[in-house]
Each structure stands twice: as structure tokens, then as C-alpha cells.
């Protein structure tokens, strides 16, 4: 089985100035995940598969970069704080772990992975998520250390939004609540390891100006993340309330199970969402046979993948930067 990893860096109106940092970040994340897949050894014995470890490592890289709306660089709530959501699932045992509304941790995906690997429960939210993180010796960081200048500016624009038009400012990357369009920077990764195991991970700061306590689709099984060795590993990004209501990740996996090609499976689920509840976004997937799916119905979506020693990436439709890894 040849290993494959695919990542995304969010879908929406990605401004031109943000394209290159996103491409650089996604390539870095893919290289990190692919390195682990090629080593083909579980480094942290708590992980159920190499694929699960690889997606966690790739998402951690993306969380650490300002170019993305996750970890450092997460967008801010109406109160000006960072509240993060993250989820991970692996396809061998259908193990799943998630956190919602977690604060003051550098990498929410690490906490989600610990929920999957170390807890009998699947999902912790708010203060309970932080208490769980503490019990696992995840270091607490200051809330301020997670706030990027970009996220602070985005919240200022959100607060003044009655004074601006609905146009997307070129400096705007963060999604504005209530706008159908708007750009986002949620991150995700899906992987197939050499043993044929699948895993998916997704992490986000949510939406600029979101109400305190709002949790989106990202950490929710079947909406923002899903993996089953019998179908596919899927990570989605887009307007969370739509992805939740249309259960997009699980819907995509059902299309794969029925034999649809990967991109068609994603497109069908996005079409369903658009028709029934509105909203835009995209998804990446990999199947157990190594088929890759990358599709979106927003203006742009950042993506990158590695397989067969090549690294591909892009942000625009029909774009494919191809390099050796
Ligand atoms: N799905 C995320 C949320 O609604 C946002 C995104 O993917 O851009 O929280």
C-alpha cells in the first residue's frame, strides 16, 4: 500500500496576499505527515495507526502558522478571545476524539488525539475540555499568545461591519459571521498509511465574531471529520452551520461506499448542502485504495497532497503545482 496524505487550509475568498503563505504552510505540513507515513512506525504508542499520527502531525504544523485559522492565528470570538474546535478519527476501530471551545492550548488537535487515544469518551467541550487537557499534562498557554495581528484586525472589521459593505476587503481572510461568502482558514488532513489504515483530522478557530460557546462542524463526527477503512477519510471546511446540518463528511463517505469517484462524492454532498441549507466550502478525502478527492464550491480552497514521492498543491481551480518531495 503506498502512503498518501492530503491537507487543506480552508475554503472561501482567500485574498491574493494569503495564497503564498498558505501554499508554503500546506507543503510543510504535507512533508511532515508524509515523513511519518514513510517511516511507517508508530512513534507515540498511544496512536492506533501511523495514519492517525501522521494527520495529527500535519495539522499541528498548520495550527502553528498564522496563515491559518487554527491554533495560533485562530479567529476571535465576539469577546476577542480564541476558542478552538478540533476532531480526529481513525478508520480501523472507528476511534474518534474531539474538543470544542477549548482555550489556552497551543495545539487543539493534540488534545483531540488524546481524547481519542486515552479517554473512554469521545468529545469534551469548554471548561471540561481544558480540564481534560490538564489531566493529560498538556501545557497551558496564555490566551494572548494565540492571537495573531491578522485575527485582531478581522475582529475590528467585524465589529465595524455596519460601516463596511459586503465586499471582501483584500486584507480580509477571516470569515465574518452572517456572510455567506468570506474566507476561512480551517485546516485538515487525511491519510492512508502503508498498512491500509485511514485517518482524518480537522482543526479551527471557527468564525470571526462568533458567539461565545459556539461550536461548529469541525470537531463533529460526520460533519467536519470522518474516517472508516471501508470507505474514506474525510476532512471538510466551510460554513459550519451548513456542514453540520447537511452532515457533509458522512454524506461524502456514503457516496464513496456506493462507488462514486472521490471528487464526484464530494461534489454531490456539497450540492446537497447548497440546495438544502445553503453555504459553501470544500473537502479533501483519501480512500483505502489511495484515490484522492479535492473539491470545493467556494471561490478558492487551499490544498496539498503527497504520494509516490511527489508533492502537489494549489489554491485555484485547475491549478496543480507539482514538485518532488
Ligand atoms: N467550519 C469552520 C466553522 O464553521 C469554519 C471553516 O471551515 O472555515 O467553524
Amino acid at each position: 500500500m503506498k502512503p498518501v496524505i492530503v491537507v487543506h487550509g480552508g475554503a472561501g475568498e482567500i485574498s491574493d496576499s494569503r495564497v503564498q503563505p498558505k501554499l508554503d504552510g500546506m507543503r510543510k505540513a504535507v512533508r511532515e505527515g508524509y515523513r511519518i507515513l514513510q517511516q511507517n512506525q508508530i512513534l507515540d504508542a498511544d496512536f492506533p495507526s501511523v495514519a492517525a499520527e501522521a494527520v495529527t502531525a500535519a495539522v499541528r504544523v498548520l495550527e502553528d502558522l498564522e496563515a491559518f485559522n487554527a491554533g495560533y492565528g485562530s479567529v476571535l470570538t465576539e469577546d476577542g478571545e480564541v476558542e478552538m474546535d478540533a476532531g480526529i478519527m481513525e478508520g480501523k476501530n472507528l476511534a474518534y476524539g474531539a474538543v470544542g471551545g477549548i482555550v489556552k492550548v497551543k495545539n487543539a488537535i493534540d488534545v483531540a488525539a488524546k481524547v481519542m487515544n486515552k479517554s473512554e469518551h469521545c468529545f469534551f467541550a469548554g471548561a471540561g475540555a481544558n480540564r481534560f487537557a490538564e489531566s493529560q499534562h498538556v501545557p497551558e498557554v496564555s490566551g494572548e499568545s494565540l492571537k495573531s495581528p491578522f485575527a485582531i484586525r478581522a475582529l475590528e472589521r467585524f465589529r465595524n461591519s455596519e460601516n463596511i459593505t459586503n465586499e471582501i476587503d483584500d486584507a480580509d481572510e477571516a470569515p465574518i459571521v452572517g456572510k455567506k461568502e468570506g474566507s476561512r482558514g480551517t485546516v485538515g488532513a487525511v491519510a492512508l498509511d502503508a498498512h491500509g489504515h485511514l485517518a482524518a483530522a480537522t482543526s479551527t478557530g471557527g468564525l470571526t465574531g462568533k458567539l461565545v460557546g459556539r461550536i461548529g462542524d469541525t470537531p463533529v463526527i460526520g460533519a467536519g471529520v470522518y474516517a472508516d477503512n471501508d470507505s474514506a477519510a474525510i476532512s471538510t471546511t466551510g460554513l459550519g452551520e451548513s456542514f453540520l446540518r447537511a452532515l457533509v463528511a458522512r454524506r461524502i463517505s456514503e457516496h464513496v461506499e456506493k462507488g462514486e469517484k472521490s471528487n464526484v462524492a464530494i461534489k454531490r454532498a456539497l450540492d446537497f448542502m447548497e440546495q438544502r441549507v445553503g453555504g459553501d466550502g470544500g473537502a479533501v478525502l483519501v480512500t483505502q485504495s489511495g484515490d484522492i478527492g479535492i473539491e470545493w464550491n467556494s471561490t478558492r480552497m487551499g490544498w496539498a497532497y503527497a504520494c509516490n514521492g511527489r508533492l502537489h498543491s494549489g489554491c485555484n481551480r485547475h491549478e496543480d503545482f507539482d514538485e518532488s518531495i
Side-chain angles (χ1 to χ4, degrees):
M1 196 77 65
K2 286 190 179 147
V4 179
I5 182 159
V6 192
V7 306
H8 69 75
E13 295 275 332
I14 301 169
S15 57
D16 291 344
S17 61
R18 300 276 280 179
V19 168
Q20 195 56 47
K22 278 191 192 290
L23 287 172
D24 292 344
M26 293 186 300
R27 289 169 185 155
K28 188 175 175 198
V30 158
R31 285 183 200 280
E32 177 63 8
Y34 198 59
R35 189 181 61 78
I36 292 170
L37 291 172
Q38 281 186 311
Q39 279 177 359
N40 198 22
Q41 272 175 5
I42 295 176
L43 307 171
D44 174 346
D46 293 332
F47 277 97
S49 66
V50 177
E53 196 159 16
V55 293
T56 304
V59 165
R60 193 185 300 125
V61 168
L62 297 167
E63 285 179 334
D64 287 344
L65 297 171
E66 178 177 16
F68 304 97
N69 170 18
Y72 174 67
S74 286
V75 298
L76 308 181
T77 66
E78 57 173 351
D79 285 359
E81 299 301 327
V82 167
E83 290 184 5
M84 298 162 286
D85 304 333
I88 180 168
M89 184 166 180
E90 67 83 35
K92 181 172 47 161
N93 306 317
L94 305 183
Y96 159 69
V99 289
I102 193 165
V103 299
K104 297 184 181 176
V105 292
K106 188 164 160 283
N107 296 104
I109 197 61
D110 283 341
V111 187
K114 285 185 186 299
V115 176
M116 178 176 79
N117 295 339
K118 309 270 277 190
S119 166
E120 60 181 295
H121 302 301
C122 289
F123 200 148
F124 289 96
N130 275 97
R131 191 183 293 190
F132 175 77
E134 201 186 325
S135 77
Q136 297 300 315
H137 313 292
V138 174
E140 186 178 301
V141 300
S142 76
E144 293 307 304
S145 70
L146 298 170
K147 296 181 191 172
S148 70
F150 187 87
I152 293 169
R153 274 202 312 278
L155 184 65
E156 280 163 11
R157 291 182 63 260
F158 171 79
R159 285 179 172 152
N160 298 327
S161 58
E162 58 276 15
N163 301 323
I164 61 170
T165 67
N166 266 4
E167 291 150 36
I168 306 297
D169 183 316
D170 191 48
D172 174 34
E173 167 68 16
I176 304 292
V177 172
K179 281 188 185 178
K180 181 170 175 286
E181 285 299 323
S183 41
R184 313 178 179 102
T186 291
V187 303
V190 296
L192 168 69
D193 68 27
H195 304 283
H197 297 310
L198 294 172
T202 316
S203 179
T204 190
L207 303 176
T208 292
K210 67 184 181 180
L211 300 187
V212 171
R214 177 263 188 194
I215 294 172
D217 60 315
T218 296
V220 177
I221 187 168
V225 64
Y226 195 72
D228 180 350
N229 280 1
D230 290 343
S231 58
I234 298 147
S235 173
T236 70
T237 175
L239 194 62
E241 283 65 17
S242 297
F243 278 71
L244 276 168
R245 291 159 68 199
L247 211 60
V248 173
R250 177 64 189 135
R251 197 169 291 280
I252 292 169
S253 77
E254 280 170 3
H255 288 304
V256 171
E257 284 160 23
K258 284 183 200 145
E260 297 280 16
K261 290 215 174 328
S262 296
N263 276 3
V264 176
I266 299 175
K267 187 169 181 331
R268 278 183 185 261
L270 293 176
D271 285 350
F272 173 88
M273 177 181 79
E274 201 172 1
Q275 284 155 19
R276 295 297 299 273
V277 297
D280 68 336
V284 296
L285 74 76
V286 61
T287 68
Q288 211 189 17
S289 55
D291 287 330
I292 289 169
I294 300 169
E295 206 30 92
W296 64 94
N297 67 357
S298 48
T299 314
R300 280 171 160 162
M301 183 176 81
W303 58 268
Y305 71 87
C307 68
N308 293 322
R310 307 293 303 175
L311 195 165
H312 298 258
S313 56
C315 264
N316 296 303
R317 222 157 267 291
H318 310 305
E319 187 170 74
D320 183 356
F321 299 111
D322 180 3
E323 59 196 282
S324 74
I325 197 148

